[in-house]
Amino acid sequence: MLKKHLGSLLLVLVVLNSFAVSAQESVLRVGLPAVVNLNPATGSNDPEVLFNTLIYDYLYTLDGDGNLVPSLATDYNVSEDGLTYTFTLREGVTFHDGSLLTVDDVVHSFNYLKTQESSALNLLGAFEVSGEGDSVTFVLETPNVDFIYGIASNFSFILDDAVSTPNVLGEGDAVFSNFNGTGAFILSDYSANVSATFTANPNYWLEGAPGVDQVEFIFIEDQQAQIDALKTGAVDFIFKIANDRVPELEVDGITLQIKATNQHPVIRLRSDEGGLGEDVRVRQAFKYATDRELLNLNLFNGIATVGNNDPIGPLYGDFFSADVPTQEYDPQRACDLLSEAGYPDGLGANEPITFYIDNAFNYVQMGEFLKEEWAEACIFVELLPRNSGDYYAGDAETAEWLNVDLAVTAWGSRPTPQGYLVEAYVSDGIYNESHWSDPEVDALVAQAGSTADIAARAAIYRQIAEIFAERGPIIVPFFAPIVGATSDRVSGLEMNAFPGRTDLRLVTVGA
Amino acid sequence: MSPPFRRRGFRTLQRFLARVSRQPATLFALIVVVAYVLIGLFGGLIAPYNYNTIQTDPNRCISRSNGTTRCAALENAPPSSQHLFGTDRNGRDVFSRILHGARYTIGLPVLATLAAVAFGTLLGLAMGYLGGWFDEILSRLVDILLSIPAVILALVMLSTIVPALEMAPNPVVQSFGAVNIALVAVIVLLYTPIVTRVIRASTLAIRERGYIEVARLRGESTPYILFREIFPSVVPALAVEASLRFSYAIFLVASLGFLGLGAQPPLPEWGRMVLDARATFSSAPWVLWFPVLAIATLIISVNLLADGLQRMFEEEES
């Protein structure tokens, strides 16, 4: 009899205990696709980067607006010749195993990027790193204004120099090992393709962080399943929601997170001799013929960022020239400009101009809207959607995207804006798809490339944006949004434009 | 056309309709197919809107400093009295697009099937009647073509023919469109071997009949024997085969449209409409339902008609 009641009592105690634990612990549950590559130097997609940002820290990181923020380094300075960067390391930071962070760890981390041929090297360039006391010194081979963005790149985590191979997944009792970082969370459980659990690092250096006791990754591949999980309260945060699914999440209890990326379509005209856009009036006519605001409403229900005429978007913080005037939709003005340029009946009136469209994202749908509104502005086109594989195939002489007269090309987000300008908009750019050549822009881009001061560089980018608005060969109708969603029990979460860089350290979760 | 011919043609049609009316399923299929053909011919005239006219939503407008106001598309509106089948993601009337799209979805398969049947009949008659090395060589070629999966061959051909045609534009390409020409070429290449094989088999059976031998002894020319003596006997098999090829051609055109390789936007080819509607299926399923329903009813009807024809010819033979 006593035995029987003892069993029941134990069961009740276990249940009560579990309630007590769940009542005490605050857990942030993230629904996301499974991680595959956990190498901090090469794991590149959102889940992989987010996984590592919980465990590791950067020297410098980027906030939600794309601005540099100190992390394990408290400050840095650059020598006058732009070749030497010196960082001061934060004092008293410890790894999860209790060992103290030293400059040797930083030196090891950046040399590790080299051994792994990490993509961070694209921004860091060639460098040598050394450390002494609390200072870490990088000596560059050539001046590189993007170097500091390489320090804050997705891959530039600070690792423990005692660990030769970080983030090792195994089998049996040692499912995971060597996940020893300074980050706000400690990996405490991992089940491949199922879940990962991170517990708060009690010794974390940032005051007030971490804001939750646990972060749990629940690996869900299917987007509909992610949405259902959020709606039913099984997870608290999901991201990269397809635009057409956004209306499903406009319900009570869920908060949408919308950020502008720099992923954008470029509507470009060939502007060299004999090209469709050789005459600047034709280029201007296209700008007046394109209703950017209405496209945003039609394609994104208004949640995208309306673009202008240059590729530098709001993702780049200070470098984004938001106040450069944009041509307002004015079909009559476009018709007049075309008439002045020698097309009294409009462009393509006798034989429609072939409008090549990279069949990516919602660009074909955009093309259908453009065809109609351009027709009102005396520009007549026929759409030719091309599979990306065909559109980008070939070399400089044969590739459609580098040679046709009128096209839409997809440009993804880059770590810094300089890359777009150097690759596509200077006279000798390797991807100068519009064949545009403007000596003033060439000079300004070169100047920006050697200006380390952020404010001075922003001023140069503004001049470039003004030239693009006046006579540039492209239209950027919008910068695509990226959408995430949180349950209303979550506070303090601001999704990053690259969701993998979302800072979860100060996020709190209510009941 | 002389009066006796006209009378004979009318009597044949009367007899055909009388027999069809005894098969309710075939009669129903015939009515549906004829209705679709009429829609293909005149759909554009009876459609309430043009296929690319964007209907606007007065609740989502932008007013500008120059005094103008433009409104966003009435996207994914549900079926109503104004838009019988609703509107699509670009605010276009789905009913009008289906009526306009019938021309592309039915017209191309009709054209391509006729060409494939013509080539296949010619080759099949010649191979079956002449035999020998001519038959051997062409039969192996037919075997090779039949062994290649249809959709893969279509994908490869379209991805190579279309760019080639676009790079070297000429008046024909400009008139008919590179994609349309390529689609017809693909269907002809895919279905000619099948028709060839069927007609060859029928011809092999017929050429041994006595009246063919008599014609040969009479000194009739080979073309005469092929088209005046053998051809009328293969017409039943040809009619059934042509109906089947037509239904497969519709399916292929719609499938390639769905893969984005057929008619280019904004043309309202039904397969392309299904592709475009896929993204909004969960929020606006009607945009997907109606083109799917149109494709399904047309293909099922053509197949029912083919079955009915086959039954009728079998009854006639027995």
Side-chain angles (χ1 to χ4, degrees), chain A residues 244 248 291 293-294 297-298 301 328-329 351 364-365 368-369 371-373 376 383-387, chain B residues 52 54 60 62 64-66 70-73 75 89-90 92 163 166 174 264-266 272 279 282:
Chain A
D244 55 282
E248 287 181 59
D291 192 338
E293 286 177 304
L294 199 65
L297 207 52
N298 278 328
N301 218 7
E328 205 168 57
Y329 180 68
E351 189 189 328
V364 172
Q365 191 189 2
E368 290 178 293
F369 281 119
K371 179 182 162 73
E372 300 306 313
E373 66 185 30
E376 290 174 31
L383 309 183
L384 186 60
R386 302 292 286 147
N387 286 326
Chain B
N52 57 353
I54 296 169
R60 295 196 307 151
I62 298 168
R64 295 213 156 76
S65 56
N66 59 11
R70 294 189 82 215
C71 295
E75 60 183 38
R89 62 182 186 170
N90 281 31
R92 298 169 299 200
E166 278 159 3
Q174 280 169 10
Q264 297 302 313
R272 176 88 211 183
S282 55

Side-chain angles (χ1 to χ4, degrees), chain B:
Chain B
M1 193 184 286
S2 63
F5 264 144
R6 205 181 299 157
R7 274 203 300 277
R8 200 169 66 185
F10 182 69
R11 275 203 304 274
T12 307
L13 181 66
Q14 258 187 329
R15 210 168 61 230
F16 171 74
L17 290 176
R19 296 178 69 177
V20 165
S21 64
R22 288 198 292 272
Q23 298 182 21
T26 311
L27 180 64
F28 174 75
L30 182 66
I31 291 169
V32 172
V33 171
V34 169
Y36 271 119
V37 171
L38 289 175
I39 289 172
L41 290 171
F42 306 110
L45 299 176
I46 57 173
Y49 305 97
N50 198 353
Y51 65 83
N52 57 353
T53 301
I54 296 169
Q55 311 296 319
T56 53
D57 181 350
N59 298 316
R60 295 196 307 151
C61 299
I62 298 168
S63 297
R64 295 213 156 76
S65 56
N66 59 11
T68 59
T69 299
R70 294 189 82 215
C71 295
L74 181 66
E75 60 183 38
N76 300 323
S80 64
S81 56
Q82 279 187 313
H83 304 291
L84 287 179
F85 294 174
T87 62
D88 68 3
R89 62 182 186 170
N90 281 31
R92 298 169 299 200
D93 184 62
V94 175
F95 179 62
S96 302
R97 286 178 67 75
I98 286 181
L99 292 184
H100 279 281
R103 180 178 302 174
Y104 303 96
T105 312
I106 300 172
L108 272 181
V110 166
L111 197 67
T113 306
L114 285 177
V117 165
F119 288 131
T121 304
L122 273 176
L123 284 171
L125 286 173
M127 287 161 66
Y129 180 69
L130 297 175
W133 61 267
F134 178 75
D135 181 38
E136 276 299 319
I137 292 172
L138 286 181
S139 290
R140 297 296 79 76
L141 194 64
V142 165
D143 289 343
I144 290 168
L145 286 171
L146 288 176
S147 67
I148 302 171
V151 175
I152 293 176
L153 183 65
L155 291 176
V156 171
M157 282 187 67
L158 281 174
S159 61
T160 50
I161 292 176
V162 174
L165 289 172
E166 278 159 3
M167 295 298 271
N170 62 57
V172 178
V173 175
Q174 280 169 10
S175 303
F176 294 100
V179 174
N180 293 341
I181 292 172
L183 272 174
V184 171
V186 165
I187 293 170
V188 169
L189 189 72
L190 283 172
Y191 294 159
T192 297
I194 300 172
V195 178
T196 301
R197 182 177 265 191
V198 171
I199 300 303
R200 175 182 170 274
S202 298
T203 309
L204 281 174
I206 293 164
R207 75 170 184 182
E208 305 303 333
R209 290 182 186 170
Y211 67 90
I212 303 295
E213 187 60 29
V214 170
R216 210 179 288 136
L217 291 172
R218 222 171 40 229
E220 300 291 0
S221 68
T222 301
Y224 181 90
I225 293 171
L226 287 179
F227 295 108
R228 298 302 294 270
E229 301 287 348
I230 299 177
F231 179 70
S233 301
V234 301
V235 165
L238 188 61
V240 173
E241 190 56 31
S243 308
L244 283 174
R245 286 311 115 211
F246 177 49
S247 75
Y248 280 106
I250 295 165
F251 193 71
L252 185 65
V253 167
S255 302
L256 293 171
F258 178 73
L259 293 173
L261 294 168
Q264 297 302 313
L267 291 181
E269 190 274 315
W270 295 348
R272 176 88 211 183
M273 287 175 71
V274 175
L275 170 68
D276 292 342
R278 202 180 45 155
T280 54
F281 177 61
S282 55
S283 55
W286 55 87
V287 186
L288 187 80
W289 289 341
F290 292 108
V292 165
L293 201 65
I295 294 169
T297 50
L298 178 59
I299 290 177
I300 291 169
S301 299
V302 173
N303 277 322
L304 282 175
L305 191 61
D307 287 347
L309 284 176
Q310 193 163 15
R311 268 198 305 276
M312 280 164 50
F313 289 129
E314 281 168 1
E315 282 170 13
E316 202 167 68
E317 272 184 19
S318 64

Side-chain angles (χ1 to χ4, degrees), chain A residues 421-457:
Chain A
L421 300 170
V422 170
E423 289 173 16
Y425 303 108
V426 296
S427 302
D428 58 354
I430 54 169
Y431 301 135
N432 185 358
E433 53 177 329
S434 56
H435 296 244
W436 188 45
S437 178
D438 189 306
E440 198 178 343
V441 169
D442 291 354
L444 285 167
V445 172
Q447 194 185 341
S450 60
T451 304
D453 180 75
I454 301 289
R457 202 168 159 195

